[in-house]
Amino acid sequence: QVRLVESGGGLVQPGGSLTLSCAASGSIFSIATMGWYRQAPGKQRDLVARISSGGITYYGDSVKGRFTISRDNAKNTVYLQMNSLKPEDTAVYYCWSTLTRDYWGQGTQVTVSS
């Protein structure tokens, strides 16, 4: 069984930065693709970024150049460094993992507001 636990969300002013972390339990972490999705109120859940087991990354158009995804296989952890945050980045951010099936964390709230 895989369990994903996010941390690092909170309230930040526009232009600020936050780093989200996702700690994964289970033995699949090093071979699984990991990523982050987000869902704003009344909107669908969208892919923010993902990273393959080999370190290949993909970013959604709205976060390119501002967000960076990384992983530490020794710590079973994936990170999302978010810079130059905008009010439209406000959402619940979900950690995601996929191998033979999808796994989801419980979500962490990120609010960008002055």
Side-chain angles (χ1 to χ4, degrees):
Q1 184 68 23
V2 174
R3 184 166 177 252
L4 304 175
V5 180
E6 304 100 332
S7 61
L11 173 65
V12 63
Q13 291 187 342
S17 298
L18 275 178
T19 300
L20 305 182
S21 300
C22 173
S25 63
S27 60
I28 73 164
F29 181 84
S30 63
I31 59 174
T33 292
M34 305 292 297
W36 293 90
Y37 279 73
R38 67 185 181 187
Q39 187 168 21
K43 296 189 176 181
Q44 67 180 17
R45 190 175 296 189
D46 291 326
L47 177 64
V48 176
R50 66 172 183 254
I51 183 167
S52 72
S53 58
I56 297 172
T57 58
Y58 167 87
Y59 296 94
D61 288 341
S62 62
V63 305
K64 282 180 181 177
R66 300 189 297 123
F67 290 11
T68 302
I69 189 170
S70 61
R71 64 191 295 164
D72 184 338
N73 289 342
K75 296 182 178 180
N76 278 14
T77 302
V78 62
Y79 304 96
L80 185 68
Q81 174 67 43
M82 304 185 293
N83 298 326
S84 302
L85 282 161
K86 305 174 181 180
E88 50 264 44
D89 293 317
T90 295
V92 177
Y93 284 69
Y94 295 92
C95 183
W96 163 78
S97 172
T98 189
L99 190 61
T100 58
R101 53 154 286 188
D102 289 347
Y103 298 91
W104 296 93
Q106 81 286 354
T108 186
Q109 177 70 46
V110 172
T111 302
V112 184
S113 175
S114 55

